[in-house]
Structure formats: structure tokens, C-alpha cells
């Protein structure tokens, strides 16, 4: 399927999810995850009207950034190694995987601008996933005050790859509650307005539970 047709289906699903939960569909940002696709397919994505592009590997990101530059808003959604920060940090618009102080320290050292970040939270507590635990989150947020280049715009999680809808909803709801608790602190460096959650297999559930940013690869670009 072409990207435009895929996008139409996704937008219909988002509209339905928003209407069922009294949300405005304009609150939802679709991030096209292009990590496995070509420059040509990414071009098709931009032509379809999706300008938020997500990459999770340094090499793939730099290749696409060199080609498209400011035609896209660039989201880095993968784990970022501290030693790689200097190669990428001034080119990305949003980091979705802030999960440790050593990374925050390196960003603060290397960045020439303030970086919008989602804190990655391992809500499901899976050993295979990165992220701070819910119990660690608030101390982590407090510690980030020391790093002026970091701006926490929201929280991110990756739900388990399971068919248990009730468990998926629990994960997404728990992240939303944590976001609300951080937001209530009214921290200038951590407005924490947004929720990055939901991928191809579960984005409609994520939207129903409050997602503002969904990261869609397979269902959008293949």
C-alpha cells in the first residue's frame, strides 16, 4: 500500500478513538518510524503530509537528515549511547529516550541548544526494555534540574508486545498518571505535557488512553 492510503486508515482510526473519548484529533502527532525504509519511501511519507520522522539508529538518522534537513521534524526514538551524543544532538528536534543522568550530562555538555526530551519510563518493568522505573521517575526529574539544556516535554513508554488489551491499557494509564503528577509540580524545565506511547499494533488503544505522540512504522511506511 502507498503511504497516503495507509495514513488515511490511521487517521480514521485516530478520529474514532478521539471521538469515543472526547478528544480533539489535532492533539495527536503521528511520527513516521522510517528506520527500515529507504530515502524514497521517506520522501513519499513527507509528500503524504507527515513531517515528523522517527529514527532509532545513528547511521540511519544521519543519512536521512543529510538528505532532507529541515523538511522534517526529527525525533530520535532509540536508545542513545552517551558517546554518540556529540554526533547527533544538534540535529534532532526531540529525544524520546532520556533514561539516565549520564546521558543528560552528556547532552548538557554537547548541545548548542535546549533539547526537548521525553523521559523513557519502563512502566511494564520488562528486563528487555530501557527506561527509569515508575519509582525512580520523580527523583530523576528532580535531578534533571541541574542540566539547563534539558527540557522535559513529556514521558514515553513502550508497551509489551501482547494481545492482552487490559494490560496494555494499564501500562498506558499508568504513564498518563505519572505524567499528570510531574506536570502538577509546575517545573519550568519539565512542563511534561505530552505522552509518547503507542505503535503500529496498539496506537488506537494508546490514543484512547491519552497519547499525544504515536510512533507508527509498519502500518504507515511498511
Amino acid at each position: 500500500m502507498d503511504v497516503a492510503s495507509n495514513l488515511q486508515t490511521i487517521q480514521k482510526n485516530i478520529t474514532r478513538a478521539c471521538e469515543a473519548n472526547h478528544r480533539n484529533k489535532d492533539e495527536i502527532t503521528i511520527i513516521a518510524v522510517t528506520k527500515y525504509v529507504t530515502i524514497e519511501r521517506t520522501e513519499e511519507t513527507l509528500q503524504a503530509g507527515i513531517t515528523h520522522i522517527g529514527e532509532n539508529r545513528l547511521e540511519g538518522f544521519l543519512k536521512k537528515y543529510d538528505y532532507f534537513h529541515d523538511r522534517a521534524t526529527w525525533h530520535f526514538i532509540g536508545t542513545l549511547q552517551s558517546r554518540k551524543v556529540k554526533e547527533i544532538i544538534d540535529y534532532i528536534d526531540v529525544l524520546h529516550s532520556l533514561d539516565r543522568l549520564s546521558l543528560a550530562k552528556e547532552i548538557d555538555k554537547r548541545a548548542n541548544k535546549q533539547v526537548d526530551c521525553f523521559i523513557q519510563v519502563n512502566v511494564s518493568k520488562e528486563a528487555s526494555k530501557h527506561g527509569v522505573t515508575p519509582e525512580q521517575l520523580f527523583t530523576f526529574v528532580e535531578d534533571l534540574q541541574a542540566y539547563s539544556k534539558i527540557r522535559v516535554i513529556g514521558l514515553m513508554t513502550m508497551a509489551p508486545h501482547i494481545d492482552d488489551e487490559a494490560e496494555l491499557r494499564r501500562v498506558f494509564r499508568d504513564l498518563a498518571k505519572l505524567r499528570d503528577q510531574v506536570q502538577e509540580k509546575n517545573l519550568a524545565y519539565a512542563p511534561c505535557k505530552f505522552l509518547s506511547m503507542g505503535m503500529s499494533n496498539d496506537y488506537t488503544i494508546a490514543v484512547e488512553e491519552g497519547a499525544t505522540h504515536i510512533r507508527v512504522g509498519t502500518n504507515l511506511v511498511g
Side-chain angles (χ1 to χ4, degrees), residues 13-142:
N13 291 337
I14 289 172
T15 297
R16 276 198 295 267
C18 286
E19 287 175 350
N21 291 272
H22 309 290
R23 297 189 64 195
N24 182 347
K25 67 181 187 300
D26 295 335
E27 296 174 5
I28 314 300
T29 297
I30 301 170
I31 301 165
V33 180
T34 59
K35 59 185 177 180
Y36 297 125
V37 303
T38 61
I39 292 286
E40 290 75 19
R41 191 67 161 171
T42 307
E43 174 68 44
E44 188 184 342
T45 304
L46 293 170
Q47 292 288 344
I50 295 294
T51 58
H52 291 265
I53 302 296
E55 284 282 329
N56 74 334
R57 294 181 302 111
L58 177 69
E59 296 76 14
F61 169 81
L62 290 174
K63 181 180 178 182
K64 290 190 174 78
Y65 182 86
D66 285 345
Y67 190 88
F68 294 107
H69 289 285
D70 58 1
R71 289 182 59 199
T73 298
W74 296 100
H75 298 254
F76 195 80
I77 60 175
T79 300
L80 181 58
Q81 297 175 317
S82 296
R83 63 188 177 87
K84 300 283 191 179
V85 167
K86 63 177 181 273
E87 300 177 52
I88 197 173
I89 200 63
D90 282 334
Y91 304 125
I92 64 176
D93 296 295
V94 187
L95 175 68
H96 287 245
S97 52
L98 181 61
D99 63 352
R100 59 199 188 280
L101 288 178
S102 59
L103 178 57
K105 182 178 181 180
E106 192 66 15
I107 291 171
D108 204 58
K109 177 181 175 183
R110 301 290 185 179
N112 290 308
K113 60 178 182 180
Q114 195 171 49
V115 182
D116 285 347
C117 299
F118 285 91
I119 295 174
Q120 183 169 354
V121 185
N122 188 357
V123 177
S124 59
K125 298 185 178 179
E126 293 173 88
S128 60
K129 286 189 167 66
H130 293 270
V132 301
T133 66
E135 293 79 15
Q136 295 167 333
L137 175 62
F138 300 104
T139 299
F140 185 59
V141 171
E142 289 174 10

Side-chain angles (χ1 to χ4, degrees), residues 146-161:
Y147 305 103
S148 62
K149 300 283 179 61
I150 301 287
R151 189 168 83 114
V152 178
I153 63 168
L155 304 181
M156 183 275 258
T157 201
M158 297 177 68
H161 285 282

